[in-house]
Amino acid sequence: MELPSKINNNEKSLQQGISPSGNGGLISNSKLTALVVDSDRICQILEKAILESQGVETQVVGSGRDALDLLASGATFNLIIIAMVLPIMNGVETTRQIRAMGIRSKMLGVTACSYEREKQAFLDAGVDEFIEKPLTPQKLASIMREMRNA
Amino acid sequence: MDGVVQLQRQLLDYTALLFQEGFLNDQFTQLQQLQDETNPDFVVEVVSLFFEDSERLLNELANTLDQQSIDFRKVDSHVHQLKGSSSSIGAQRVQNVCIAFRNFCDAQNTEGCLKCLQQVKNEYSLVKNKLETLFKLEQQILAAGGSIPM
């Protein structure tokens, strides 16, 4: 299966800060990409606006299923922002399945609720970080700084 | 130009008051800062979505709480959504009632939930009114040839 390993090599390169095209360029000079997985229209618009205002090329999907299909088709992202509450397949389960595909992108779990048990479930499923909605430009900027310096 | 300056002063004072009285918080400022030439109606668009979503959710809450046997999980899900969207636009007082509302849901306290429903309806109505006044002021400034002060 050529496709999944292509995704993994890309992700590996990105993590090492090397451009996947192999020209040796540092990630800090290339555009970061993000996927927003959220069924809430307001969050979709807000998160996309915050990401784009910081120069991140952003795609938005409204369900876990759509996210998995997009990733399976070969699309790669530096950052995946995923809501806990999603139709049919929730964010925790979607995260598990994304990680099971071997995808190493930075994943940020977001939720409007603040219960400790939910936070732990999200972290256990594989998100790198968890924040309470709403996403703010400051929070995103600090995440991006980390990613560019990684 | 005197008229424009007066209107601008009025807008700034009105906005400051809304923050002082806790109707809006810093998240609203973030929305305003995301608005620019490429996204000139961003704030109005996001707030309009908030109005639509809130009205739908408040209706659904009223229906759900009106049943003989209340489905508290459904109530919780609606309140969760309302908390999320109110926090996304910075509607602090609505968000605060949602927090209390969820606690009553957890405890399956019907009376508490009904009280919160009334409270959240009131707070929503107030913030809607105030935001519409704010937008009207902005429109007046623009119509008079001025620009929105930040």
Side-chain angles (χ1 to χ4, degrees):
Chain A
M1 280 275 283
E2 212 185 290
L3 201 54
S5 67
K6 217 178 179 180
I7 296 170
N8 284 341
N9 284 338
N10 280 348
E11 291 307 320
K12 240 189 187 164
S13 307
L14 289 167
Q15 278 194 317
Q16 289 161 0
I18 303 163
S19 160
S21 64
N23 63 7
L26 289 173
I27 275 300
S28 52
N29 293 332
S30 43
K31 217 167 192 180
L32 288 180
T33 56
L35 175 64
V36 170
V37 188
D38 202 323
S39 55
D40 182 300
R41 297 183 299 172
I42 296 176
C43 294
Q44 286 180 350
I45 292 186
L46 182 62
E47 288 168 14
K48 185 166 200 244
I50 293 175
L51 287 158
E52 289 182 343
S53 76
Q54 297 192 25
V56 181
E57 216 169 273
T58 308
Q59 269 191 263
V60 179
V61 293
S63 72
R65 181 78 264 153
D66 288 347
L68 291 169
D69 289 347
L70 183 58
L71 292 165
S73 77
T76 61
F77 303 94
N78 302 109
L79 175 65
I80 300 174
I81 298 181
I82 180 160
M84 173 165 291
V85 176
L86 293 169
I88 305 165
M89 190 189 336
N90 68 25
V92 171
E93 183 52 35
T94 307
T95 302
R96 249 185 231 123
Q97 293 204 27
I98 290 175
R99 289 302 191 208
M101 285 170 72
I103 288 171
R104 297 270 181 271
S105 309
K106 175 126 186 156
M107 289 187 74
L108 175 69
V110 294
T111 180
C113 79
S114 44
Y115 299 138
E116 201 56 41
R117 61 177 185 268
E118 270 133 343
K119 173 179 179 175
Q120 200 50 56
F122 227 160
L123 288 166
D124 289 345
V127 297
D128 298 292
E129 243 186 283
F130 169 102
I131 63 156
E132 244 186 88
K133 284 182 182 177
L135 179 70
T136 63
Q138 291 79 5
K139 182 63 193 170
L140 180 66
S142 94
I143 289 174
M144 280 171 54
R145 257 194 310 274
E146 274 174 42
M147 285 170 66
R148 289 188 202 276
N149 292 336
Chain B
M1 263 331 224
D2 255 356
V4 171
V5 173
Q6 239 183 343
L7 283 170
Q8 287 171 329
R9 176 87 259 146
Q10 226 183 314
L11 177 65
L12 285 171
D13 289 346
Y14 190 68
T15 310
L17 190 63
L18 295 185
F19 277 83
Q20 267 165 44
E21 292 183 336
F23 286 104
L24 297 175
N25 63 24
D26 189 56
Q27 182 62 19
F28 188 77
T29 312
Q30 308 284 8
L31 291 188
Q32 291 176 310
Q33 289 172 351
L34 286 169
Q35 183 160 296
D36 59 21
E37 321 76 52
T38 61
N39 231 340
D41 300 313
F42 182 68
V43 182
V44 171
E45 277 173 13
V46 178
V47 172
S48 303
L49 280 180
F50 168 68
F51 291 162
E52 271 178 50
D53 282 358
S54 300
E55 270 149 45
R56 175 182 54 84
L57 288 167
L58 290 171
N59 280 335
E60 292 187 16
L61 276 166
N63 286 334
T64 312
L65 286 167
D66 202 29
Q67 303 303 310
Q68 278 277 41
S69 169
I70 296 175
D71 183 349
F72 282 101
R73 277 176 64 168
K74 220 176 176 186
V75 177
D76 185 73
S77 165
H78 294 324
V79 176
H80 176 105
Q81 279 184 70
L82 187 57
K83 179 175 181 256
S85 53
S86 58
S87 74
S88 293
I89 71 140
Q92 179 75 62
R93 280 160 66 149
V94 174
Q95 186 186 341
N96 289 345
V97 179
C98 287
I99 295 170
F101 206 150
R102 286 197 92 201
N103 290 334
F104 282 121
C105 256
D106 251 8
Q108 307 213 347
N109 182 331
T110 307
E111 200 183 314
C113 283
L114 287 168
K115 278 206 175 99
C116 278
L117 177 59
Q118 200 46 55
Q119 255 186 298
V120 82
K121 274 177 166 173
N122 288 344
E123 289 300 342
Y124 168 70
S125 191
L126 284 169
V127 79
K128 181 173 190 229
N129 207 281
K130 296 194 184 279
L131 285 167
E132 285 174 338
T133 304
L134 195 121
F135 293 145
K136 273 202 190 89
L137 272 171
E138 287 184 349
Q139 286 308 308
Q140 285 178 298
I141 292 171
L142 294 172
S147 60
I148 311 296
M150 281 300 289

